[in-house]
Amino acid sequence: MARPRILVVGAGFAGVACVRRLERRLPPGEADIALVTPYAYQLYLPLLPHVAAGVLTPQSVAISLRRGKHRTKVIPGGAIGVDAKAKICVVRSITGEIVDEPYDYIVLAPGSVTRTFDIPGLKEHGCGMKTLAEAAYIRDHVIAQLDLADASQDESERASRLQFVVVGGGYAGTETAACLQRLTTNAVKRYTSLDPTLIKWHLIDIAPKLMPELGDKLGRSAMECLQRRGIEISLGVSVAEAGPDKVTFTDGRVIPSRTLIWTAGVAASPLVGTLGAETVRGRLAVTAQLTLPGFDGVFALGDAAAVPDLEKGDGAVCPPTAQHAHRQGKKAADNIIASMRGEPLSPYMHKDLGLVVDLGGRDAVSKPLGVELHGISAQAVARGYHVSAMRTNVAKSRVLAAWALNATAGDDFVRIGFLKGRPPPLGELDYVDGDGYLTPQQVREHTASVIARMPEHG
């Protein structure tokens, strides 16, 4: 009898946690495990602002999937469709070829993509902050603006190069603005003709509060910390139009700026739409056991799934955070093993460990287990949490060494060449090689042709 095949889609927190749990709890001969991912690393997304600021190298937050001895087969590509009836996942490999991966159990953890809106000029002139390439590009771009402003004799050009706009008052936007503002504040000291007072950072969000998850007191503390550092925060405001050298806000203000960083939310991966299943605000509507109703052998979790939050009740779903994704990955693995062995599945339950926000340098706010902290103590908790959450000792060591070096030697301000080739329009790096996904009908037609070509159907 053939061994069951477990296919995990996505190498984020959820997918990697699921794979590692399966490897630990399943004997080698009980099942085959495969992981579909375009890159053979897990991106530690919470520290991406540190990469953009140059505190960490890209390699520090790209945790290798091949370090150590693992029996999971890594399939280099991205899933673009799932036929749950035929139990086939359609994968576009990194060479562009279409590969059909059969499965007995599939774990859908493809994560999320940048959520954009129909704002004139946004895709052409906005930069995302969800990939290593985007973080590295933003760092080069920001330093280049200082270089070009220093060399320019045109006051209007200088003004547009020295103003920076970050859209999104969540964790990603707030930490990105904080870390990059610290970078420019330190960098401007190295320029002979730049007035530090001309450098302005704008953080805007359509929401009425900055990081509402922190609560009123801690959220206000974070906001005041950023304002003391000179970051202008505007709430209830978004972007009306983006241009090559200016950004127009919805309140009518026009900011001369050549830097627009967009972190205003995420949407579930378009892969979820290929199944034709019920969704909740774009995320797959799954049970508390992480199964997809009506779809045999399909589990979904992380940013792509609306997992019931049994702690809150009243129809609440778990927020798309790394903490939830990691725990759901372990629970999905346990439930797959239970399903294989004919045992009952258990629901996903969680206890919130708290929140951490790194604002760069000595500034931070955190709320571990409900205790509100500020400054150095909060920074120690935030960085301690990130190091403990990293999967390998090599990754932990790289990050700790980089933080120590930065604390003693200070920032560096070297561009590495990403400015020569601007990334694709905003959001396109989230997709598989820039290509779209299949519709449910296209998936069915494709798998039907694959099945028809099989010898037993000849």
Side-chain angles (χ1 to χ4, degrees), residues 128-151:
M129 259 293 288
K130 273 187 67 63
T131 69
L132 278 177
E134 288 173 331
Y137 170 79
I138 286 173
R139 172 174 167 77
D140 268 19
H141 173 81
V142 168
I143 296 174
Q145 299 315 297
L146 301 182
D147 290 346
L148 293 168
D150 185 54

Side-chain angles (χ1 to χ4, degrees), residues 201-204 210 222-224 226-227 231-235:
W201 281 86
H202 302 266
L203 176 60
I204 70 173
L210 191 71
M223 185 170 173
E224 290 171 353
L226 296 180
Q227 289 173 327
I231 298 177
E232 183 175 318
I233 299 174
S234 301
L235 300 175

Side-chain angles (χ1 to χ4, degrees), residues 267-309:
S269 166
L271 179 66
V272 306
T274 70
L275 285 93
E278 181 184 353
T279 58
V280 176
R281 294 185 178 180
R283 301 163 69 187
L284 289 170
V286 299
T287 67
Q289 290 75 24
L290 306 177
T291 59
L292 190 60
F295 292 78
D296 180 47
V298 178
F299 293 75
L301 49 153
D303 293 2
V307 179
D309 190 335

Side-chain angles (χ1 to χ4, degrees), residues 339-382:
S339 179
M340 288 171 52
R341 297 173 179 173
E343 300 169 355
L345 279 57
S346 57
Y348 171 70
M349 301 282 289
H350 72 94
K351 181 176 176 57
D352 192 7
L353 296 179
L355 306 165
V356 296
V357 182
D358 188 335
L359 300 176
R362 298 184 176 185
D363 296 327
V365 294
S366 62
K367 197 175 181 180
L369 302 176
V371 180
E372 296 185 352
L373 300 174
H374 312 76
I376 291 292
S377 58
Q379 186 65 281
V381 170

Side-chain angles (χ1 to χ4, degrees), residues 348-437:
Y348 171 70
M349 301 282 289
H350 72 94
K351 181 176 176 57
D352 192 7
L353 296 179
L355 306 165
V356 296
V357 182
D358 188 335
L359 300 176
R362 298 184 176 185
D363 296 327
V365 294
S366 62
K367 197 175 181 180
L369 302 176
V371 180
E372 296 185 352
L373 300 174
H374 312 76
I376 291 292
S377 58
Q379 186 65 281
V381 170
R383 296 198 170 183
Y385 169 77
H386 288 314
V387 170
S388 66
M390 302 191 93
R391 189 172 46 80
T392 69
N393 289 331
V394 170
K396 297 175 195 284
S397 300
R398 282 192 180 125
V399 168
L400 286 171
W403 279 337
L405 181 62
N406 181 258
T408 54
D411 295 317
D412 203 354
F413 313 107
V414 177
R415 288 185 282 121
I416 55 178
F418 276 85
L419 191 63
K420 291 181 179 179
R422 181 179 172 83
L426 180 64
E428 284 198 14
L429 286 176
D430 293 330
Y431 292 80
V432 183
D433 294 329
D435 293 315
Y437 292 73

Side-chain angles (χ1 to χ4, degrees), residues 1-8 22-23 26-35 71-73 102-105 336 340:
M1 182 178 177
R3 291 180 297 193
R5 189 168 195 251
I6 304 170
L7 188 67
V8 179
L22 288 169
E23 287 185 333
L26 277 177
E30 191 167 350
D32 294 324
I33 309 168
L35 175 65
R71 66 177 190 272
T72 297
K73 176 184 177 182
Y103 66 84
D104 295 287
Y105 298 92
I336 288 173
M340 288 171 52

